């Protein structure tokens, strides 16, 4: 006996249409045609997949444009303005803003995300407590990993290390650092790894966020990852310095990342908004070379990062839109490259987050159906999700657009 059949769906990289049978929150069967005495949802040949996975988003500082100034549009200004704003954050305030973004993410087809939460003497634990509430409140529709994150330095503020340790003992799933804001970047990296080892959690760094090819922090992260046996448990976000390096040099670093099992998250909306401001013509894209990294065996993801704040004054938490944006900027055209862009917002971030992902018997029944015939059209046309299920329970629906001609 099945609980539900989602029928007549297409599945990426498979020909034809299928029925998906669900039992007790898991996928029980995928067949060309399932005969079952169970409720049936005919999806009319639309694409089904395991949902988008956002491996890099900041829920705590989203939707604060009304309390910040953007004059320079630089990274330094964004850090400065956000630091001022977060001193006044309350649990209720953070919860309301985060809920707005999470609800957008759900109806845009996201079934899991990793959110960074800033923890330091200015933010206190207010944002952390709010995001823990969000994680519980929306568990029916989305899985949320919480990364205890230090944005403004660690070696310069001993209290922050103590606070991160507390957060990792009280609900944070992993720890994240930001070496480029610390007066001692190498010491920062080492201390973040110390915390990770102490609590046996993964690590996710923001680093190399500029277009100066010199002074990369990646070699230090590579060395610490190898020394501590942390392969497969480390991610880095931005890494835009790689865009300023010759392909041969970037390729050597990519080979090291692949060999060590360090994943890279590309963040197109923020990286394009903040970088290249010192150029008055031929402004660089400033985007990490995702396809070069992929060709060298690195696991690459594409994430949202920030929404409606000084880092990114745009956004709707749509990973379909972000995949399209990335593919456009990266000048992708071949079918296989567009398929890779789809993987960067689905299976790749799921792997980074340690999730059992995909449409297969026995897997958790997290399923999103998109008004598209395949993953290529989803990315190329930004096709919209029309229904979603979490653990076999429907979480959202969206009406498909219909033209109303004079004859209708």
């Amino acid at each position: 006996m099945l609980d539900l059949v989602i029928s007549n769906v297409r599945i990426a990289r498979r020909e034809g249409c299928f029925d998906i049978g669900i039992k007790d929150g898991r996928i029980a069967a995928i067949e060309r045609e399932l005969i079952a005495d169970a409720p049936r949802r005919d999806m009319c040949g639309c694409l089904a997949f395991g949902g988008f996975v956002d491996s890099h988003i900041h829920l705590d500082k989203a939707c604060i444009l009304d309390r910040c100034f953007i004059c320079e549009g630089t990274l330094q200004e964004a850090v400065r303005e956000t630091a001022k704003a977060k001193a006044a954050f309350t649990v209720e305030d953070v919860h309301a803003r985060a809920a707005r973004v999470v609800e957008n993410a759900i109806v845009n087809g996201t079934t899991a995300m990793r959110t960074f939460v800033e923890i330091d003497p200015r933010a206190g634990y207010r944002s952390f407590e709010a995001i823990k509430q969000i994680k519980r409140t929306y568990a029916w529709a989305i899985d949320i990993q919480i990364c205890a994150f230090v944005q403004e330095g660690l070696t310069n503020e001993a209290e922050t290390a103590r606070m991160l340790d507390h957060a990792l003992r009280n609900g944070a799933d992993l720890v994240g650092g930001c070496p480029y804001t610390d007066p001692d970047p190498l010491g920062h990296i080492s201390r973040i790894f110390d915390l990770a080892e102490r609590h046996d959690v993964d690590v996710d760094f923001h680093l190399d966020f500029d277009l100066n090819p010199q002074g990369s922090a990646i070699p230090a992260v590579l060395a610490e990852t190898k020394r501590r046996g942390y392969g497969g448990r480390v991610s880095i976000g931005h890494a835009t310095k790689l865009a300023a390096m010759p392909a041969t040099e970037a390729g050597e670093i990519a080979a090291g990342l692949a060999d060590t099992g360090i994943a890279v998250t590309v963040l197109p909306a923020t990286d394009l908004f903040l970088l290249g401001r010192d150029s008055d013509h031929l402004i660089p894209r400033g985007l990490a070379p995702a396809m070069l990294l992929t060709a060298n065996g690195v696991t690459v993801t594409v994430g949202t990062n920030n929404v409606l704040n000084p880092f990114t004054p745009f956004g709707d938490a749509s990973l379909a839109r972000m995949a399209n944006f990335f593919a456009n900027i990266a000048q992708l055209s071949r079918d296989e490259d567009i398929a890779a862009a789809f993987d960067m917002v689905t299976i790749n971030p799921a792997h980074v987050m340690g999730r059992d992902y995909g449409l297969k018997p026995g897997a958790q029944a997290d399923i999103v159906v998109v008004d598209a015939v395949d993953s290529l059209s989803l990315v190329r046309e930004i096709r919209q999700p029309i229904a979603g299920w979490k653990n076999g329970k429907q979480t959202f629906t969206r009406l498909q657009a219909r033209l109303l001609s004079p004859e209708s």
Side-chain angles (χ1 to χ4, degrees):
M1 292 291 293
L2 297 174
D3 299 325
L4 173 69
V5 176
I6 302 173
S7 67
N8 196 17
V9 296
R10 299 181 189 274
I11 297 175
R13 298 181 174 92
R14 298 179 70 175
E15 293 294 326
C17 290
F18 297 84
D19 292 350
I20 302 174
I22 297 172
K23 177 68 176 176
D24 296 330
R26 295 195 170 271
I27 296 175
I30 301 178
E31 304 289 348
R32 294 286 181 184
E33 185 178 1
L34 279 172
I35 307 300
D37 185 17
R40 184 174 292 265
R41 286 292 307 275
D42 185 352
M43 302 314 298
C44 304
C46 290
L47 176 72
F49 66 110
F52 294 113
V53 180
D54 201 333
S55 61
H56 190 124
I57 192 168
H58 293 261
L59 293 176
D60 58 337
K61 55 191 182 187
C63 308
I64 57 171
L65 282 178
D66 59 339
R67 59 191 86 175
C68 298
F69 293 100
I70 303 178
C71 299
E72 305 161 7
T74 63
L75 174 61
Q76 294 73 22
E77 179 185 61
V79 172
R80 186 172 65 246
E81 285 295 309
T82 304
K84 287 191 293 186
K86 75 182 179 184
F89 288 178
T90 65
V91 173
E92 295 75 19
D93 166 50
V94 174
H95 190 282
R97 291 183 287 102
R100 173 181 168 186
V101 176
V102 168
E103 289 177 9
N104 273 341
I106 292 167
V107 299
N108 282 318
T110 297
T111 53
M113 64 170 52
R114 171 180 290 179
T115 183
F116 295 82
V117 180
E118 293 186 23
I119 295 174
D120 59 34
R122 285 156 299 287
Y125 298 114
R126 299 184 300 278
S127 295
F128 181 50
E129 291 303 322
I131 300 305
K132 286 197 293 183
Q133 289 180 21
I134 289 286
K135 179 176 180 174
R136 293 191 296 268
T137 300
Y138 290 95
W140 57 272
I142 189 169
D143 294 327
I144 298 177
Q145 274 189 358
I146 299 176
C147 181
F149 175 61
V150 50
Q151 172 75 73
E152 299 172 46
L154 181 59
T155 67
N156 54 325
E157 214 163 34
E159 177 67 6
T160 299
R162 186 192 69 78
M163 295 179 73
L164 289 173
D165 186 77
H166 173 83
L168 288 165
R169 284 186 278 107
N170 289 275
D173 300 295
L174 70 158
V175 64
C178 188
Y180 60 78
T181 61
D182 198 297
D184 179 6
L186 299 184
H188 181 108
I189 291 167
S190 179
R191 293 188 189 188
I192 291 294
F193 270 104
D194 287 344
L195 283 163
E197 279 196 314
R198 186 179 309 151
H199 295 276
D200 190 24
V201 296
D202 291 358
V203 176
D204 202 328
F205 287 105
H206 296 41
L207 52 73
D208 283 13
F209 193 10
D210 59 51
L211 296 179
N212 178 356
Q214 305 302 315
S216 172
I218 293 177
V221 174
L222 284 169
E224 290 287 350
T225 302
K226 291 178 181 177
R227 183 170 74 83
R228 299 172 190 255
Y230 243 62
R233 304 189 67 180
V234 179
S235 302
I236 60 175
H238 298 294
T240 53
K241 279 184 182 289
L242 292 171
M245 298 178 186
T248 52
E249 185 178 347
E252 290 175 2
I253 293 176
L257 292 168
D259 182 60
T260 317
I262 297 176
V264 176
T265 299
V266 179
L267 303 161
T270 301
D271 297 352
L272 264 74
F273 177 73
L274 293 177
L275 297 182
R277 295 267 179 175
D278 54 350
S279 299
D280 64 2
H281 65 287
L282 292 177
I283 298 171
R285 291 185 177 89
L287 193 73
M291 303 314 291
L292 181 149
L293 292 165
T294 298
N296 278 275
V298 180
T299 298
V300 178
T301 73
V302 169
T304 296
N305 197 33
N306 283 286
V307 177
L308 300 174
N309 68 17
F311 293 88
T312 319
F314 315 101
D316 58 359
S318 166
L319 283 178
R321 184 178 66 83
M322 198 59 63
N324 173 277
F325 186 39
F326 160 74
N328 198 331
I329 298 159
Q331 300 178 313
L332 306 186
S333 59
R334 301 184 305 167
D335 285 359
E336 54 264 42
D337 291 340
I338 300 297
F342 176 73
D343 288 346
M344 290 176 191
V345 291
T346 54
I347 190 170
N348 290 4
H351 173 73
V352 168
M353 291 174 59
R355 296 179 59 76
D356 181 19
Y357 178 89
L359 302 186
K360 55 191 177 184
Q364 188 170 299
D366 293 356
I367 301 168
V368 170
V369 177
V370 178
D371 185 15
V373 297
D374 56 28
S375 59
L376 305 183
S377 62
L378 185 160
V379 174
R380 286 187 165 122
E381 303 175 43
I382 319 180
R383 306 299 295 180
Q384 295 300 307
I386 56 175
W389 288 263
K390 185 82 176 67
N391 297 321
K393 303 293 185 182
Q394 188 158 11
T395 55
F396 75 91
T397 185
R398 187 201 302 263
L399 292 177
Q400 292 172 275
R402 183 170 66 90
L403 291 177
L404 299 176
S405 67
E407 292 78 21
S408 62

